[in-house]
């Protein structure tokens, strides 16, 4: 069972949560980036391959999408889960894809931690010059990108500040794990 995204999937025109009995996760490759600008969030442009199925989506909740990953997991690093009390302001990283399907690590700065919110827990800004040059900031398609601090997973990217796209929010990974248990 897995959790991803950090927020619900919404219908494009009504912005309401998309209800579905089931979904499928396909392979995809980022083919380009439409950069974010003040007032206009950019997006990852990608091509999916529906013949390469990686899993099923069973639930779409405010904390993310949840389901079963059925493919072989790549040889990836495992991270310890940090509690909200272990998270601190300052340096951290996000893991995301900006080209093809290569996961890369980029520098961020955690500005504020909010333990009272259900979804907007970690306010951060991108400080990585390469990522800012490539994307202009947070873009649609970065949701679910893991946030790492001190070699611990602390959350996932879930929102961009449209008026300041170099800033965004992350949800605590513990909030996502609690939702997965429900």
């Amino acid at each position: 069972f897995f959790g991803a995204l950090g927020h619900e999937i919404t219908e494009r025109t009504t912005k309401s949560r998309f209800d579905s009995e089931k979904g499928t996760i396909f392979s995809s490759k980022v083919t380009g980036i439409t950069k974010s600008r003040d007032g206009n969030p950019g997006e990852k442009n990608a091509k999916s391959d529906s013949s390469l199925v990686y899993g099923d989506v069973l639930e779409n909740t405010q904390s993310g999408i949840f389901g079963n990953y059925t493919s072989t997991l790549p040889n990836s690093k495992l991270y310890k889960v940090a509690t909200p009390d272990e998270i601190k302001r300052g340096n951290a990283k996000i893991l995301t894809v900006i080209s093809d399907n290569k996961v890369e690590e980029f520098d961020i700065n955690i500005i504020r931690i909010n333990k009272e919110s259900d979804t907007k827990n970690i306010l951060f800004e991108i400080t990585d010059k390469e990522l800012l040059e490539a994307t202009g900031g947070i873009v649609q398609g970065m949701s679910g990108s893991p946030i790492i601090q001190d070699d611990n997973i602390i959350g996932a990217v879930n929102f961009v500040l449209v008026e300041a796209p170099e800033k965004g929010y992350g949800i605590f990974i513990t909030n996502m794990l609690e939702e997965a248990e429900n």
Side-chain angles (χ1 to χ4, degrees):
F1 200 73
F2 74 89
L5 221 53
H7 62 75
E8 72 271 3
I9 298 174
T10 58
E11 201 277 323
R12 186 177 286 259
T13 55
T14 66
K15 304 293 185 212
S16 59
R17 186 176 7 212
F18 184 75
D19 285 325
S20 175
E21 293 291 317
K22 187 176 180 182
T24 305
I25 301 168
F26 301 115
S27 168
S28 68
K29 292 184 179 191
V30 175
T31 57
I33 302 284
T34 302
K35 287 185 177 184
S36 285
R37 302 183 315 273
D38 289 352
N40 188 7
E43 64 186 0
K44 290 183 181 183
N45 304 303
K47 182 174 182 172
S48 62
D49 182 350
S50 61
S51 69
L52 292 173
V53 175
Y54 290 156
D56 305 320
V57 175
L58 304 174
E59 269 189 287
N60 180 20
T61 75
Q62 82 167 8
S63 297
I65 61 170
F66 298 90
N68 294 308
Y69 191 84
T70 56
S71 184
T72 303
L73 286 171
N75 187 12
S76 298
K77 180 176 179 173
L78 298 176
Y79 292 93
K80 178 182 170 249
V81 172
T83 66
D85 289 335
E86 294 174 298
I87 301 167
K88 59 188 179 295
R89 291 173 37 193
N91 294 333
K93 301 200 178 285
I94 63 169
L95 305 178
T96 199
V97 175
I98 59 171
S99 178
D100 200 26
N101 59 3
K102 180 182 174 193
V103 177
E104 297 180 78
E105 190 176 86
F106 299 98
D107 294 324
I108 64 170
N109 178 51
I110 295 175
I111 300 167
R112 186 174 48 221
I113 300 160
N114 181 354
K115 296 178 186 176
E116 305 305 315
S117 175
D118 290 334
T119 58
K120 293 181 177 178
N121 307 118
I122 304 165
L123 176 62
F124 67 92
E125 62 185 340
I126 296 174
T127 56
D128 194 288
K129 290 183 187 342
E130 179 186 351
L131 185 58
L132 288 169
E133 177 65 30
T135 64
I138 307 293
V139 296
Q140 296 175 71
M142 281 187 185
S143 293
S145 295
I147 303 173
I148 308 297
Q149 188 177 60
D150 297 332
D151 221 24
N152 297 313
I153 185 166
I154 64 170
V157 174
N158 63 354
F159 291 103
V160 60
L161 294 180
V162 176
E163 67 281 358
E166 71 283 355
K167 293 181 181 174
Y169 283 101
I171 183 173
F172 290 144
I173 193 66
T174 52
N175 288 3
M176 294 179 71
L177 292 171
E178 284 175 20
E179 183 71 32
E181 288 178 8
N182 295 334

